[in-house]
Amino acid sequence: MVAPRSIAIVSPRYPDGATVGGAETLLRRFAERLAAHGLDVAFLATCARDHFTWANECPADVRRVNGVEVRRFPVSPDRDPALFHARQAAISRGETLTRAEQEEWLRHSVNSDALLDFLRAEGKRFDRLLAGPYLFGLVRAVARAFPDRTLLVPCLHDEPFARQSVIGEMLRAVRGCLFNTEPERDLAGRLHGPEACRGAVVGLGLDPFEADPRAFAARRGLGAPYVFYCGRREAGKGTPLLTDYLRAFRARTGRDVALVCAGSGPLDSAPFIHDVGFLPEKEKHEALAGAVAFVHPSALESLGIVLLESFLAGTPALVRAGGEVLRWQCARSGGGLWFRHYPDFETELELMLDRPDLRRAMGERARTFVRREYAWSAVESRLLQALETL
Amino acid sequence: MPPRRAVPPRRFLFLPAPQIAALCRSGARALRRAPETMNDIGIEIGADDVDVDAVVARIQKAVDEKIAAGVYADARLAAAERTNLAQLKNDEQFAGFYLRCLRDAVYVDISDFEIRERRARFAPFLVRLKKGIWSLLKFYTYRLWSQQNQVNGLLVTGLESVDEKYAEKIRALEARVAELEKRLGAASSPPAEKGG
């Protein structure tokens, strides 16, 4: 099979600092790495930044960023947000939607007719279209219009949206999928049959870094040991659970442990919770390196980028046993423990506090694992091989 | 290991008696569980080889034993698990564990309590003032909390009864399925070969 020379990467948002999203970040990194390999790469996104409103906040323009042609297109104006939210809420409640209702859900999600028109007009310029994540109308529209050229980057989570039959049809119809992890691929197969998990496991490359573990606490005036969380703060990511658990931990054990939360979204207010908002990369690395543990309470991850960054910082993690991907990462790296409920969490956090030797040993194993498995050289090799063979 | 700090009761002098009693109970419980720390699990690790599967298995075994012994029957745990219920409901031990937490928290202590004053200055006056305020509030507070206790008790008893009823039903069905499988196996097994 001839290796593709020209690639379009399609995602609802282009991550440019103000936009946060693991899937979009992964796609941007793919784009830049492929461009560095001499491929003709375009990143096609909408003008939206906010995934709640999908308002056209950025200009519809064409730029070149790190060798990638970045094109933004307006979101189609004919979406009905109320209908979308009604369908979305019904899915979240576990209701069974009819085919027509599922179509409405995707139709009134984010779409861009201008982007699709561009892809149609450009004809065969692009050998492959990499589109993701799975749950947006735009991604589904691209997959439906160009199934033979589409490689889906689903970033699939075990959630009600993933169980919709329209999603299964999309997974089965495209040329193949680029999964982040083996559990994600298995999930696709489990939910929608063997045809849905055709593809390759690629993942995301991470650059190693060194960080001073004392710098963050010194700069922020933190006297107590702290656990760290970084990412979106919302129920789906488990942040309310984390604050509840730490509150109970402090009350039951009488130990002074702080919670440092980076990222965006609502957060409980308490003297032991430190909301540091968005952190520059260097400071994030220092915060990770100085933490007793990185706690990732989300059950909905397809890779766990920040978890892997915490491993690179040599900091072990505590994750939820129900989060299949994160638990898998902890088990295979030896860098983290998983908890079923509060009693497990209490015991494991005490272990992290009381056994620095164990923490160091786990951190070292985790760092070695990420440097081996998620080095860009290894990921690029998997990505290029997938593009050639799928 | 030194005993852990209980919640200082003096911070709650202005709270109603039931809350003070509940806080004192939880503090006492925290002190009772003090010797049972993680280090008692005694995880042996080498410096360069940590088997996290084994560590987690050991932790889970130890925690399960502690749950069975009632170490975690604590109302604060039920509150902490409010966003983890979807995950826990699949755990076989969940209902029993959660019901034990609820049973522990269900009855609010409405018995009277000693009114004290930590500030030395004007202490007798402040104590008398607090006693006066409390005597005015007592009638209403007792009435309210005794009714709430009744409702709490009925709810937990109802839940326990539903849990026991369905557990019994499931046990009976499992026994029936096992019996049917046994009979089916006996009926479909090939006849023993003759000879030999």
Side-chain angles (χ1 to χ4, degrees), chain A residues 234-264:
Chain A
E234 56 191 35
K237 293 286 180 186
T239 40
L241 176 119
L242 175 56
T243 52
D244 287 345
Y245 273 18
L246 209 66
R247 187 173 281 113
F249 181 86
R250 289 169 56 89
R252 276 176 55 82
T253 65
R255 300 182 77 154
D256 187 12
V257 180
L259 168 64
V260 175
C261 280
S264 65

Side-chain angles (χ1 to χ4, degrees), chain A residues 75-107:
Chain A
V75 173
S76 298
D78 56 346
R79 65 184 295 261
D80 178 346
L83 184 57
F84 167 73
H85 287 300
R87 297 287 175 255
Q88 176 114 324
I91 296 173
S92 299
R93 287 194 299 269
E95 290 177 21
T96 306
L97 266 59
T98 63
R99 172 66 194 222
E101 288 168 335
Q102 291 181 44
E103 292 290 349
E104 280 176 347
W105 168 57
L106 289 172
R107 173 75 194 84

